[in-house]
Amino acid sequence: MRLLFIGDIVGKPGRELVTATVGRLKAERGIDFIIANGENAAAGSGITGAIASSLREAGVDAITLGDHVWDQKGFEADIKTLEYVCRPANLPAGNPGRDHLIVAKDGFRLLVFTVLGRTFMGLKAECPFLAADALLARLAGTYDGAMVEIHAEATSEKQALGWHLAGRATAVLGTHTHVATADTAVLRGHTAFQCDVGMTGPHESVLGRQIEPVLGRFLDGMPRRYEIATGDNRLSAALVEFTATGQATSVEWLQVRAG
Amino acid sequence: MRLLFIGDIVGKPGRELVTATVGRLKAERGIDFIIANGENAAAGSGITGAIASSLREAGVDAITLGDHVWDQKGFEADIKTLEYVCRPANLPAGNPGRDHLIVAKDGFRLLVFTVLGRTFMGLKAECPFLAADALLARLAGTYDGAMVEIHAEATSEKQALGWHLAGRATAVLGTHTHVATADTAVLRGHTAFQCDVGMTGPHESVLGRQIEPVLGRFLDGMPRRYEIATGDNRLSAALVEFTATGQATSVEWLQVRAG
Amino acid sequence: MRLLFIGDIVGKPGRELVTATVGRLKAERGIDFIIANGENAAAGSGITGAIASSLREAGVDAITLGDHVWDQKGFEADIKTLEYVCRPANLPAGNPGRDHLIVAKDGFRLLVFTVLGRTFMGLKAECPFLAADALLARLAGTYDGAMVEIHAEATSEKQALGWHLAGRATAVLGTHTHVATADTAVLRGHTAFQCDVGMTGPHESVLGRQIEPVLGRFLDGMPRRYEIATGDNRLSAALVEFTATGQATSVEWLQVRAG
Amino acid sequence: MRLLFIGDIVGKPGRELVTATVGRLKAERGIDFIIANGENAAAGSGITGAIASSLREAGVDAITLGDHVWDQKGFEADIKTLEYVCRPANLPAGNPGRDHLIVAKDGFRLLVFTVLGRTFMGLKAECPFLAADALLARLAGTYDGAMVEIHAEATSEKQALGWHLAGRATAVLGTHTHVATADTAVLRGHTAFQCDVGMTGPHESVLGRQIEPVLGRFLDGMPRRYEIATGDNRLSAALVEFTATGQATSVEWLQVRAG
Ligand SMILES: [Fe+2]
Ligand SMILES: [Fe+2]
Ligand SMILES: [Fe+2]
Ligand SMILES: [Fe+2]
Ligand SMILES: [Fe+2]
Ligand SMILES: [Fe+2]
Ligand SMILES: [Fe+2]
Ligand SMILES: [Fe+2]
């Protein structure tokens, strides 16, 4: 079977590219599960119920989120009704929203959840290693394979989680840096891994934002409005092939350019 | 002309692979300049005069360094005599060592220097954007092209520096995360760019270190000895082709596996 | 002579207490210079031209700022016309506003400036130690004593700057943590020092904000509106006595409660 | 009843001052419980079994620790046998050592534990708010009053924990910054509070270390040996008076100078 994991969707360009691309990709590549990180889908900051719904209609089976999960006002209420959306699993207990999703296709039950890293991250979260262990144990028997997203900054933390779950998860795939890494691998002959699958949105940019204001801020430290960029729109994703017992056999990174 | 920039050399496995590989690569790929980051060459932490010298003998023209520059005791004295080694350019003024190198081959004078990022970095440094501007201006007329290394954690800072120097530097190439990125590009038709060229050393590891102690520390926070790993030794590098006027025409990322 | 340095004024309660208190304090304690940090004067975030003007009318001779300097939209324009306001001296060169002030009373010229710390601070600044050295050297001959504010988080950085300027500045006084320290001292018989003079505003609070939303965020990490608190309003300040040659002879920390 | 909480003991000067002072203080001030933070007792970094034992013999009833808990090699084994020593309660589960102590005097059972802050702290810990709640709940009925140490950098986190436990703990007292704060208070008529009680050791220093190497490092960023300073040795502590039902009635900060 095959799952496609689409990295951080940024703003309207990112959303439009997902809508325009997902159906064709699914057919051409024989994809069973489409999962996408939508933490930057609403103008670069968070997501809304309406946007989540539109991504779902475009063919995305499950939407994950990251440290920007609560950037949009009111989403803490919306999330409760969205059955195909999960927030990071290692947020404190009081946070609303599902901490995991189970998506079933042709009798295969894919567990999907995200853990936030704790190195260089603003949002404080519980230990991602123990949180992943706990979820896998608690849900044992209810899923046939697990895709664990590590939404984190530090490569050390991402690699460590990959090795920690190697042999137990179908895939450990990273997001958050918005830059794909050239390190796809199947760890210990079982677990598809990539430090970061990259972002979906305008690449003539700094992480999807217009270059000038971000660069200006690096130069003088003064605040500016960060608009979403427009040029060089691309979808970034990892395509994982796996067996009926949830063992990854290959992982391929792909980018689809707009237009 | 062609330059090869080799990412963070980690420990003895990294050094041995450089020694075993550089001559052949140079011949096969017609490389003119070989530059390597050696900040982890001495057992993963810093570099010594003897190690720098051995890398030089192996065919490395210029050695750069990062935040681990002063990890080895006594290197602050050694560096003064090493004419092919430069420390990050934006360290405070009191730091010993060259802040840049100019390597000449066949009449082309290649300026090489490193700037440290300031986001999520332990070592405090001056503004990398202004430091790069200042060096390029101060040395104008003495070089025909510049390779600027951005040794940094955050993808935003690395991309921003790439755009900042696009059209002015021959290449802006990143190091420090030890994981190569899949974003090689020639920015504005002039400047070769890659967020990170990756590390040179054992890849069955966490950033070149043995997996178990690093993972153990993520789990319980307790200190451990971090030994250099051994498995899956690879050299990671960016190969940049450029004109006699210092304009990059292509950039290719490559990895060479040991054995 | 005597200078009073009032710590971070927070919101309307803080401003009102300054207005109500400064005249009486000045008369009762024979104060020559009144300096106040106003970085949180506008609803806790930054300052406006109108607020700066009202503090000036209340008797404040010089207003300093911190990392919240640009929180209020438009203040980057306003600051240019405010001759009694300075922004941190070690911001990048492109920042508008004065980097120091010289206030003269009875023939004594008091140099006033702020440097931002770099440890645990979000806003990137140039080295505060070298920035202070540079200003003191550049302005030599134009002032009779210097009050240097260190707006910083880490006690190590604040103490180190105190010792660095001991014997050269009339006072090195800290702000930013909003909690006064019990360490007033005259360093090397010359320089009044205190790690933090504390904040001016409601103390039944977390740093001047209402307790509940701040505590809520520590518990679940979710964003909330942080309103200014109301209870236990206090003005916090350091009172420094110094000679005609700018040598501090004493420093006293004081708090004035509202009502 | 009365408890004395002594802040971070730094090196030999700090230890000697504790030994010389504790007996007299106990008698003069009628102190029932003496608790001390010993995280810097061994040359500024961590503690050893022998040092813990010597502090105990000097009259310290309970020793707490902070982020430097594992700085001394072998202490992870030693701590298991030390019945009067506890490590921070919110370290990950795998950490050895007691997470709390209960000290009984004249029929009053005082619960003592430390939580590490998570803002600006290198060591990753579980949520200090929830960890404190959990311990207080789990041990309910076994203690008559609780002294909670918040070992943290940020004043916001320390104040928030004070308010969180106000009415439930006998005292919430801070350590880690090595600088005492001027904010002693009894919160909600029940809980003694101080953001930081300060350190015990040489005050002509930067946080107990010799001034010159620390200042040198701030200036050029290069590593140096940080020796313990010698001048102006002081013991810093909070003295809390409380009722038989564990309600604080007063808190006084005191410093005792050597010699
Ligand atoms: Fe993110
Ligand atoms: Fe993102
Ligand atoms: Fe590095
Ligand atoms: Fe490195
Ligand atoms: Fe501030
Ligand atoms: Fe402030
Ligand atoms: Fe500490
Ligand atoms: Fe300490």
Side-chain angles (χ1 to χ4, degrees):
Chain A
M1 303 191 86
R2 289 178 174 182
L3 75 84
L4 184 77
F5 178 53
I6 300 171
D8 307 52
I9 301 168
V10 179
K12 207 179 168 193
R15 277 143 42 200
E16 289 181 347
L17 188 52
V18 168
T19 304
T21 310
V22 149
R24 184 172 53 77
L25 264 179
K26 192 168 175 164
E28 283 180 14
R29 305 295 301 255
I31 295 164
D32 302 287
F33 300 92
I34 297 188
I35 301 126
N37 181 302
E39 73 150 359
N40 308 107
S45 301
I47 192 168
T48 64
I51 287 174
S53 173
S54 76
L55 290 171
R56 171 76 165 173
E57 276 163 43
V60 173
D61 297 302
I63 297 170
T64 63
L65 294 159
D67 53 315
H68 289 285
V69 55
W70 307 128
D71 280 7
Q72 290 293 320
K73 242 185 197 164
F75 188 66
E76 67 281 1
D78 289 358
I79 196 173
K80 294 176 196 170
T81 66
L82 300 167
E83 298 184 358
Y84 48 89
V85 175
C86 63
R87 47 84 170 171
N90 57 337
L91 293 177
N95 279 245
R98 287 154 184 79
D99 62 2
H100 74 279
L101 299 169
I102 296 180
V103 189
K105 291 275 165 87
D106 298 328
F108 190 96
R109 300 161 300 172
L110 182 67
L111 168 63
V112 174
F113 66 88
T114 304
V115 285
L116 289 180
R118 297 200 294 181
T119 305
F120 311 137
M121 300 291 287
L123 198 57
K124 280 169 199 82
E126 302 310 311
C127 174
F129 298 84
L130 299 181
D133 287 351
L135 261 185
L136 292 177
R138 169 157 71 89
L139 300 170
T142 70
Y143 62 91
D144 304 302
M147 194 214 88
V148 181
E149 176 185 12
I150 168 71
H151 191 81
E153 179 72 35
T155 45
S156 57
E157 198 168 18
K158 287 164 146 178
Q159 286 188 350
L161 190 78
W163 292 115
H164 183 59
L165 299 178
R168 296 193 284 153
T170 301
V172 175
L173 298 169
T175 49
H176 179 68
T177 72
H178 289 210
V179 176
T181 51
D183 62 342
T184 48
V186 178
L187 302 181
R188 299 204 171 123
H190 189 109
T191 302
F193 178 78
Q194 186 176 12
C195 257
D196 208 295
V197 306
M199 73 150 183
T200 296
H203 279 63
E204 190 174 329
S205 71
V206 178
L207 313 189
R209 309 278 184 171
Q210 286 179 3
I211 295 165
E212 202 180 73
V214 180
L215 182 50
R217 184 157 197 178
F218 272 112
L219 284 165
D220 66 21
M222 299 181 71
R224 280 161 176 84
R225 242 185 108 77
Y226 285 4
E227 305 282 357
I228 299 301
T230 51
D232 195 13
N233 201 13
R234 303 186 207 170
L235 177 147
S236 304
L239 178 60
V240 178
E241 192 154 8
F242 55 96
T243 66
T245 57
Q247 186 170 334
T249 51
S250 75
V251 51
E252 173 194 343
W253 177 69
L254 57 89
Q255 248 183 1
V256 180
R257 291 174 194 238
Chain B
M1 302 190 86
R2 288 178 174 181
L3 74 85
L4 184 78
F5 178 53
I6 301 170
D8 307 52
I9 301 168
V10 178
K12 207 179 168 194
R15 278 144 41 201
E16 289 180 347
L17 188 53
V18 169
T19 304
T21 310
V22 149
R24 184 174 54 77
L25 265 180
K26 193 167 175 164
E28 283 179 15
R29 305 296 301 256
I31 295 164
D32 302 287
F33 299 91
I34 297 188
I35 301 125
N37 181 301
E39 74 151 358
N40 307 108
S45 300
I47 193 169
T48 64
I51 288 174
S53 173
S54 75
L55 291 171
R56 171 75 164 173
E57 276 163 43
V60 174
D61 296 303
I63 297 170
T64 63
L65 294 159
D67 52 314
H68 288 285
V69 53
W70 308 127
D71 279 6
Q72 290 292 321
K73 240 184 198 167
F75 189 66
E76 68 281 0
D78 289 358
I79 197 174
K80 294 176 196 170
T81 66
L82 299 167
E83 297 183 359
Y84 48 89
V85 175
C86 63
R87 47 85 170 169
N90 57 337
L91 293 177
N95 279 246
R98 287 153 184 79
D99 62 1
H100 74 279
L101 298 168
I102 295 180
V103 188
K105 291 276 167 85
D106 298 328
F108 190 95
R109 298 162 302 172
L110 181 68
L111 169 63
V112 174
F113 65 88
T114 304
V115 285
L116 289 180
R118 297 199 294 181
T119 305
F120 310 137
M121 300 291 289
L123 197 58
K124 280 169 197 84
E126 301 310 310
C127 174
F129 298 85
L130 299 181
D133 287 351
L135 260 184
L136 292 177
R138 169 156 71 88
L139 299 170
T142 70
Y143 63 90
D144 304 302
M147 193 214 88
V148 181
E149 176 186 12
I150 168 69
H151 191 82
E153 181 72 35
T155 45
S156 57
E157 197 169 19
K158 287 165 146 178
Q159 287 188 350
L161 190 78
W163 291 115
H164 183 59
L165 299 179
R168 297 194 281 153
T170 300
V172 174
L173 298 169
T175 50
H176 180 68
T177 72
H178 288 210
V179 176
T181 51
D183 63 341
T184 48
V186 178
L187 302 181
R188 300 205 171 121
H190 189 108
T191 302
F193 178 77
Q194 187 177 12
C195 259
D196 209 295
V197 306
M199 73 150 184
T200 296
H203 278 63
E204 190 174 328
S205 72
V206 178
L207 313 189
R209 309 280 184 169
Q210 286 179 3
I211 294 165
E212 201 180 76
V214 179
L215 182 50
R217 183 156 197 178
F218 271 112
L219 283 165
D220 67 21
M222 299 181 70
R224 281 161 175 84
R225 243 185 107 77
Y226 285 3
E227 305 282 358
I228 298 302
T230 51
D232 195 12
N233 201 13
R234 303 186 208 170
L235 177 147
S236 304
L239 177 60
V240 179
E241 190 153 11
F242 55 96
T243 66
T245 57
Q247 187 170 334
T249 51
S250 75
V251 53
E252 173 195 344
W253 177 69
L254 58 88
Q255 246 183 3
V256 180
R257 291 174 194 240
Chain C
M1 303 190 87
R2 289 178 173 181
L3 74 84
L4 184 78
F5 178 53
I6 300 170
D8 306 53
I9 300 168
V10 178
K12 207 179 168 195
R15 277 145 40 201
E16 288 180 347
L17 189 52
V18 168
T19 304
T21 309
V22 148
R24 184 172 54 77
L25 264 179
K26 193 167 173 166
E28 282 180 14
R29 305 296 302 253
I31 295 164
D32 302 287
F33 299 91
I34 297 188
I35 301 126
N37 181 302
E39 75 151 356
N40 308 108
S45 300
I47 194 170
T48 64
I51 287 174
S53 174
S54 74
L55 291 171
R56 171 73 165 174
E57 275 162 43
V60 174
D61 297 303
I63 297 169
T64 62
L65 294 159
D67 53 315
H68 289 285
V69 54
W70 307 127
D71 280 8
Q72 289 293 319
K73 242 184 198 167
F75 188 66
E76 68 282 0
D78 290 356
I79 197 174
K80 294 176 196 169
T81 66
L82 299 167
E83 297 183 359
Y84 48 90
V85 175
C86 63
R87 46 84 169 171
N90 57 336
L91 293 177
N95 279 246
R98 288 153 183 78
D99 62 2
H100 74 280
L101 299 169
I102 295 180
V103 187
K105 291 276 165 87
D106 298 327
F108 190 96
R109 299 162 300 171
L110 182 67
L111 169 62
V112 173
F113 66 87
T114 304
V115 286
L116 290 178
R118 298 199 293 181
T119 305
F120 311 136
M121 299 292 287
L123 198 58
K124 280 169 198 83
E126 302 310 312
C127 174
F129 298 84
L130 300 180
D133 287 351
L135 260 184
L136 291 178
R138 170 157 69 87
L139 299 170
T142 70
Y143 62 90
D144 303 303
M147 195 215 86
V148 181
E149 177 186 10
I150 168 71
H151 191 81
E153 180 72 34
T155 45
S156 57
E157 197 169 18
K158 287 165 145 177
Q159 287 188 350
L161 191 78
W163 292 114
H164 183 58
L165 299 179
R168 296 194 282 153
T170 300
V172 175
L173 298 169
T175 49
H176 180 67
T177 72
H178 288 211
V179 176
T181 51
D183 63 340
T184 49
V186 178
L187 302 181
R188 299 201 173 125
H190 188 111
T191 302
F193 178 78
Q194 188 177 10
C195 258
D196 208 295
V197 305
M199 73 150 182
T200 296
H203 279 62
E204 190 174 330
S205 72
V206 178
L207 313 189
R209 310 279 185 170
Q210 286 179 3
I211 294 165
E212 201 179 76
V214 179
L215 182 50
R217 184 156 197 178
F218 272 112
L219 284 165
D220 67 20
M222 299 182 70
R224 280 161 177 86
R225 242 186 107 77
Y226 286 2
E227 305 282 358
I228 298 301
T230 50
D232 195 12
N233 201 12
R234 302 186 209 170
L235 176 147
S236 304
L239 178 59
V240 178
E241 191 153 10
F242 55 95
T243 66
T245 56
Q247 187 170 332
T249 51
S250 76
V251 53
E252 173 195 343
W253 177 68
L254 57 89
Q255 245 182 4
V256 181
R257 291 174 194 240
Chain D
M1 302 191 88
R2 290 180 173 180
L3 76 83
L4 184 79
F5 179 52
I6 300 170
D8 306 52
I9 301 169
V10 179
K12 206 180 169 193
R15 277 145 40 201
E16 289 180 347
L17 189 52
V18 168
T19 304
T21 309
V22 149
R24 184 172 54 77
L25 265 180
K26 193 167 173 165
E28 282 180 14
R29 306 295 302 253
I31 296 164
D32 302 288
F33 299 92
I34 297 188
I35 301 126
N37 181 302
E39 75 151 358
N40 308 109
S45 299
I47 193 170
T48 64
I51 288 173
S53 174
S54 74
L55 291 172
R56 171 74 165 173
E57 276 163 42
V60 174
D61 297 303
I63 297 170
T64 62
L65 295 159
D67 52 315
H68 288 285
V69 54
W70 307 128
D71 280 7
Q72 289 292 321
K73 242 185 198 166
F75 188 67
E76 68 281 0
D78 290 356
I79 196 174
K80 294 176 197 170
T81 66
L82 300 167
E83 297 183 359
Y84 48 91
V85 175
C86 65
R87 46 84 168 169
N90 58 335
L91 293 177
N95 279 245
R98 287 152 185 79
D99 62 2
H100 74 280
L101 299 169
I102 295 181
V103 188
K105 291 274 166 89
D106 298 328
F108 190 97
R109 299 161 300 171
L110 181 68
L111 168 62
V112 174
F113 65 87
T114 304
V115 286
L116 290 179
R118 297 199 294 181
T119 305
F120 310 137
M121 300 292 288
L123 198 59
K124 280 170 198 82
E126 301 310 312
C127 174
F129 298 85
L130 299 181
D133 287 351
L135 261 184
L136 292 178
R138 169 156 68 88
L139 299 171
T142 69
Y143 62 90
D144 303 303
M147 195 215 86
V148 181
E149 177 185 10
I150 168 69
H151 191 81
E153 180 72 34
T155 45
S156 57
E157 198 169 18
K158 287 164 145 178
Q159 287 188 349
L161 190 77
W163 291 115
H164 184 57
L165 299 179
R168 296 194 282 153
T170 301
V172 175
L173 299 169
T175 49
H176 179 67
T177 72
H178 288 211
V179 176
T181 52
D183 62 342
T184 49
V186 178
L187 302 181
R188 299 200 173 126
H190 189 111
T191 302
F193 179 77
Q194 187 178 11
C195 258
D196 208 295
V197 305
M199 73 150 182
T200 296
H203 279 63
E204 190 173 331
S205 71
V206 178
L207 312 189
R209 310 279 185 170
Q210 286 179 1
I211 295 165
E212 201 180 75
V214 179
L215 182 50
R217 184 156 197 179
F218 271 112
L219 285 165
D220 67 20
M222 298 181 71
R224 282 161 176 85
R225 242 185 108 77
Y226 284 4
E227 304 282 359
I228 299 301
T230 52
D232 195 12
N233 201 13
R234 302 187 209 170
L235 176 148
S236 304
L239 177 60
V240 178
E241 191 154 9
F242 55 95
T243 67
T245 57
Q247 187 170 335
T249 51
S250 75
V251 52
E252 173 195 344
W253 177 69
L254 57 88
Q255 248 183 3
V256 180
R257 292 174 194 239

